[in-house]
Structure formats: structure tokens, C-alpha cells
């Protein structure tokens, strides 16, 4: 669809459509199907696939109008949009027909099956095996740190299909049915008390031939698309419909959906260090009168503000239609350093009491939860070391480290 878009036209078209269609007492699934059909749920997508071919720079205008009406957007929580964007970029028309609508309406839940016990940071080192036998792929192996696997309908699976080529060339990307008998999901209890992640075992699980994404051996390229969206700090439609109201049954439905899907992420603010609590805690404990504490607190606030500016720059570039730059890895690494600095400040302001959990601890144990949660941010979504390598090689132009894992993957020494 070739349309001469302008900000005023987008605003007028969205506003008129919402006036004609938005109903806060509609069924959530009915509303989202209407929204998907309109193209305003994911407006930057192609018109053939539930979008309107809107330039990315005008997407925030759509967000503003949805917020003005308090209108609910498409389903976005969890891995859903990673799956949708990956299939939009690499999937077949059959796969897009099968999955995209039901992802956006929220009818199906997804998980991401990348990390393994022996290859967490080395994504290309996966050893979960997929072998074609007749009309299906047979999968055997193990994945770990898989959020929402316990209630997922489908998973994005990276598996090894060729052991006789270098490791980056021997992987293939699949969509796998998580409800079949050959998939065993087991929750993992964390030291902060939560059980957000799972380990997943595959024992002769099957994947139809038409559920392979892109060509055999192109798994690394497809996975990079998924990770690009995972690391992207700013999404132009994030928070669609933030202006929530209470007068409408659709909000109750959405709240129930959100409670289910966000439950694994409830400790993520603590993982990020809770910078928002730092100044109040320093004032409440009078530790702000200590010059060393003030120094560390000031350093924390400066680091946080610089990261905020970098994220704003990335968001502005995205709104102008520019491709993702190094901001993803820079932001990921910065957030890790900020969380560690926040942990240091919280420890200085709360002292030994920071180790007390529950009602005995500061803020009913919240500070202790921060101490236990922050280490995870240096691992999740690519370790600090991986982000430093990406920045060194792709931003600073430094030489790559010597590799000892070239050649056929079956000959590479593994842990």
C-alpha cells in the first residue's frame, strides 16, 4: 500500500478509526482481532501482514492517539514479539499465516530455546540435535534459563543439524510445539526465591518439516534477528495504551493476562538495582552525611543519566528509521554496571541490615532481594564479556580474539 503519510494524516486516521471502533467493554480477543485487521496494532509492518507500511518515525504518533483513548494494544508481553518479528523477517508465508495473528491477539504464548548448560554465552556452541527422519525433524537435547516455558504453546528453537561444518554454519532455526509429549519442562528455583526460569529436556520431540525457519544451516543468521529485537532498548509501540482506565471489562481481561505473563518478571526491577530508591534510602538512613556514600551515590546517578541519554539517542534513531547500531550492546553493558553500582550504594546505606530478608530487613527485605538479584543482570541476554567483545570488534574495530573452535564442530573440544 503506497500512501503519502504525514503526521497530521496519521493522527487523523488513527483518531477516526478509534472513535469508530474502540469499545472498552468489548471482549479482549474480539478487539484485538479488529485491531490486527486494521493494521494499527503494528503499523510499521507490511500491509500484507497486519500493518499499514507506516514509516517507523511516525509510529509514536499512533502510540499517542492510543494513549489518548486509553485503548488496549496488541499482545506484547514476553517472547511474543520476538517470535513475530523473527517470523516476519525469515519465516515462510505459511508460517506467517499460521502464527502472526494469534501472536498479536495473545492467543498463543511463546518461549525462546537458545541457552544450554554447556553453551550459555557461546550461542553457536549449541549441541541440542535435530535430525531429519522421514517427514519430521527429531529433536534431542537440553535447554536452560527458558522463561515462560512452563506455559508456552510454542518455542523458538536453535538446534544443531550438521556437525561436519564450523559451528556457526551447522545450526538451524525451528518453531517447536511445546505441548507434545517429548518436551519436559522443569522449573528452576533461584537464590532470590523466584522460579522464573526453566530447564527443558527434549526426548525424540518432533517438528514438522514446514516448521523450519529459513534454510537449513541458517540458524545463526535467524537467531541474530531474534537477539537484535531482544536487546533493543526502545520499541516505538512499547506501552501502547498506557492511559489505562477502570471503566471497561476489557481492562479486567487484559490485567488477568498481564498478571499471568509478567509473573516471571516481577523481580526484574530488583535485578536492575532499583536506582529509584537510592537517594531516599541515603536520606532515610542519614548515610548521605558520609562523604564516601555521597561520592558513590553521585557516581550512580551520573551513570544512570548517561545511560538514559544513550537510550534516548537510540530511540530517536529508531524513530527516524535508522537500523539498530551499537546502542544495544552499549546499553546492556551500561545497565549491568549501573546495577552493580546501585548494589554498592544500597549496601553502604543499609549496612549489615541489607542481608536481612522479609520483615526483618530494610523495606521488608527488598534491599536483600536487590543484593541477591543484581548478579543475574551480568549474565542475562548475553554476558558482560560478550557485550565487551561486540563493542571492541564492531565499534572500536579491534582484532578478534584467536579462536580454537574453527573447523568441523564435531572436532571442537567442549565442556
Amino acid at each position: 500500500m503506497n500512501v503519502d503519510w504525514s503526521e497530521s494524516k496519521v493522527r487523523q486516521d488513527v483518531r477516526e478509526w478509534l472513535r469508530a471502533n474502540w469499545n472498552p467493554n468489548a471482549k479482549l480477543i474480539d478487539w484485538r482481532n479488529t485491531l490486527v485487521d486494521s493494521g494499527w496494532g503494528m503499523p510499521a509492518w507490511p500491509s500484507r501482514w497486519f500493518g499499514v507500511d507506516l514509516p517507523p518515525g511516525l509510529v509514536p504518533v499512533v502510540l499517542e492517539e492510543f494513549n489518548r483513548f486509553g485503548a488496549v494494544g496488541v499482545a506484547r508481553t514476553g517472547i511474543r514479539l520476538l517470535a513475530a518479528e523473527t517470523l516476519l523477517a525469515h519465516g515462510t508465508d505459511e508460517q506467517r499465516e499460521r502464527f502472526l495473528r494469534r501472536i498479536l491477539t495473545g492467543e498463543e504464548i511463546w518461549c525462546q530455546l537458545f541457552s544450554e548448560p554447556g553453551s550459555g554465552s557461546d550461542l553457536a556452541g549449541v549441541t541440542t540435535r535435530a535430525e531429519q527422519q522421514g517427514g519430521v525433524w527429531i529433536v534431542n537435547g537440553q535447554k536452560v534459563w527458558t522463561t515462560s516455558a512452563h506455559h508456552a504453546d510454542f518455542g523458538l528453537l536453535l538446534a544443531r543439524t550438521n556437525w561436519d561444518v564450523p559451528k556457526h554454519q551447522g545450526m538451524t532455526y525451528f518453531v517447536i510445539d511445546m505441548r507434545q509429549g517429548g518436551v519436559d519442562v522443569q522449573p528452576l528455583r533461584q537464590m532470590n526465591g523466584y522460579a522464573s526460569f526453566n530447564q527443558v529436556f527434549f526426548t525424540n520431540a518432533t517438528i514438522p518439516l514446514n516448521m523450519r525457519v529459513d534454510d537449513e544451516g541458517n540458524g545463526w543468521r535467524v537467531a541474530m534477528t531474534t537477539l537484535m529485537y531482544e536487546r533493543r532498548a526502545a520499541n516505538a509501540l512499547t506501552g501502547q495504551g498506557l492511559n489505562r482506565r477502570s471503566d471497561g471489562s476489557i481492562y479486567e481481561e487484559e490485567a488477568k493476562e498481564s498478571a499471568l505473563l509478567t509473573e516471571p518478571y516481577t523481580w526484574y526491577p530488583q535485578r536492575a538495582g532499583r536506582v529509584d530508591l537510592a537517594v531516599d534510602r541515603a536520606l532515610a538512613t542519614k548515610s548521605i552525611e558520609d562523604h564516601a556514600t555521597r561520592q558513590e551515590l553521585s557516581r550512580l546517578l551520573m551513570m544512570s543519566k548517561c545511560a538514559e541519554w544513550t537510550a534516548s539517542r537510540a530511540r530517536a534513531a529508531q524513530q527516524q528509521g535508522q537500523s539498530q547500531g551499537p546502542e544495544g550492546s552499549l546499553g546492556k553493558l551500561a545497565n549491568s554496571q549501573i546495577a552493580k553500582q546501585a548494589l554498592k550504594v544500597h549496601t553502604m546505606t543499609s549496612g549489615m541490615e541489607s542481608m536481612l530478608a522479609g520483615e526483618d530487613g530494610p523495606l521488608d527485605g527488598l534491599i536483600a532481594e536487590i543484593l541477591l538479584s543484581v548478579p543475574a543482570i551480568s549474565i542475562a541476554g548475553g554476558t558482560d564479556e560478550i557485550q565487551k567483545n561486540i563493542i571492541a570488534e564492531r565499534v572500536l574495530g579491534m582484532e578478534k580474539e584467536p579462536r580454537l573452535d574453527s573447523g568441523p564442530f564435531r572436532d571442537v573440544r567442549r565442556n
Side-chain angles (χ1 to χ4, degrees):
M1 183 168 60
N2 188 12
V3 179
D4 185 16
W5 293 111
S6 66
E7 180 176 339
S8 59
K9 175 173 174 52
V10 173
R11 197 174 298 280
Q12 179 181 349
D13 287 0
V14 176
R15 193 174 295 178
E16 290 179 355
W17 186 85
L18 285 170
R19 285 195 185 114
N21 292 277
W22 169 239
N23 177 8
N25 289 305
K27 295 280 189 184
L28 182 61
I29 182 64
D30 294 340
W31 160 249
R32 281 183 171 157
N33 270 305
T34 301
L35 178 57
V36 169
D37 288 333
S38 75
W40 292 119
M42 295 298 290
W45 281 14
S47 55
R48 182 184 179 188
W49 301 112
F50 313 118
V52 294
D53 298 292
L54 190 70
L58 291 173
V59 172
V61 178
V62 180
L63 169 62
E64 291 174 9
E65 292 305 317
F66 269 74
N67 285 340
R68 191 189 309 276
F69 279 77
V72 173
V74 296
R76 308 184 65 85
T77 308
I79 306 299
R80 285 167 167 160
L81 281 191
L82 299 184
E85 296 286 6
T86 302
L87 293 176
L88 190 64
H90 299 280
T92 63
D93 285 352
E94 179 185 5
Q95 291 164 356
R96 294 169 185 144
E97 288 278 4
R98 167 63 183 86
F99 295 116
L100 290 185
R101 172 182 290 273
R102 291 176 68 84
I103 289 174
L104 298 180
T105 59
E107 294 174 81
E108 292 171 342
I109 301 172
W110 289 67
C111 66
Q112 182 179 330
L113 300 156
F114 281 14
S115 295
E116 296 185 2
S119 55
S121 297
D122 181 17
L123 179 59
V126 299
T127 59
T128 293
R129 181 189 300 265
E131 299 175 306
Q132 185 175 342
Q133 297 182 14
V136 296
W137 292 89
I138 305 296
V139 180
N140 287 280
Q142 179 185 0
K143 297 290 182 176
V144 75
W145 313 126
T146 308
T147 305
S148 297
H150 59 294
H151 55 213
D153 299 295
F154 294 96
L156 302 172
L157 174 68
L158 192 62
R160 188 158 302 280
T161 53
N162 189 341
W163 295 69
D164 296 315
V165 295
K167 63 181 185 179
H168 290 82
Q169 302 173 23
M171 297 177 294
T172 303
Y173 201 104
F174 300 95
V175 171
I176 188 169
D177 180 1
M178 295 293 291
R179 302 293 186 181
Q180 61 179 294
V183 179
D184 180 21
V185 179
Q186 299 180 4
L188 295 171
R189 180 67 60 180
Q190 302 151 213
M191 66 181 181
N192 61 5
Y194 293 93
S196 302
F197 306 114
N198 303 272
Q199 55 183 345
V200 183
F201 296 91
F202 302 100
T203 306
N204 294 327
T206 60
I207 301 175
L209 297 183
N210 62 353
M211 288 297 105
R212 187 193 71 204
V213 181
D214 211 304
D215 294 335
E216 183 178 347
N218 276 356
W220 178 259
R221 183 166 72 97
V222 183
M224 290 303 100
T225 296
T226 306
L227 292 178
M228 178 184 70
Y229 284 100
E230 182 181 29
R231 291 170 179 165
R232 179 170 287 174
N235 188 298
L237 272 179
T238 296
Q240 189 179 60
L242 288 176
N243 183 23
R244 290 291 185 257
R245 300 161 187 169
S246 58
D247 52 341
S249 58
I250 196 170
Y251 299 122
E252 297 177 11
E253 278 195 76
E254 190 198 26
K256 291 179 181 178
E257 175 194 70
S258 179
L260 171 67
L261 295 175
T262 59
E263 188 275 332
Y265 305 96
T266 53
W267 62 283
Y268 277 31
Q270 284 67 265
R271 185 179 76 172
R274 293 303 299 268
V275 178
D276 58 308
L277 301 177
V279 173
D280 289 343
R281 286 294 299 161
L283 290 170
T285 60
K286 300 188 185 314
S287 59
I288 200 167
E289 298 173 5
D290 174 63
H291 74 278
T293 301
R294 286 200 305 273
Q295 288 264 9
E296 298 300 335
L297 178 58
S298 298
R299 182 176 288 109
L300 170 64
L301 297 178
M302 287 188 291
M303 292 169 64
S304 180
K305 182 58 68 175
C306 288
E308 181 183 329
W309 289 333
T310 300
S312 297
R313 186 177 65 200
R315 187 178 302 113
Q318 185 183 354
Q319 291 173 357
Q320 294 171 11
Q322 298 179 17
S323 60
Q324 176 82 353
E327 292 88 353
S329 291
L330 288 169
K332 172 68 174 63
L333 184 60
N335 288 338
S336 177
Q337 301 306 311
I338 291 167
K340 293 175 184 177
Q341 180 66 16
L343 175 61
K344 183 176 183 179
V345 170
H346 286 309
T347 304
M348 294 178 75
T349 55
S350 297
M352 291 186 293
E353 290 186 348
S354 61
M355 294 186 291
L356 298 177
E359 296 179 356
D360 295 330
L363 302 182
D364 290 329
L366 185 61
I367 300 300
E369 186 176 314
I370 294 171
L371 266 62
L372 290 174
S373 302
V374 161
I377 200 170
S378 295
I379 303 172
T383 64
D384 288 357
E385 291 75 16
I386 292 295
Q387 306 309 324
K388 289 177 181 178
N389 279 346
I390 292 173
I391 295 167
E393 296 171 8
R394 302 181 189 176
V395 180
L396 302 179
M398 299 173 66
E399 292 186 8
K400 294 185 177 182
E401 293 181 339
R403 303 195 70 103
L404 301 176
D405 56 358
S406 57
F409 186 69
R410 68 170 64 254
D411 297 331
V412 174
R413 295 183 61 183
R414 293 183 293 278
N415 185 355

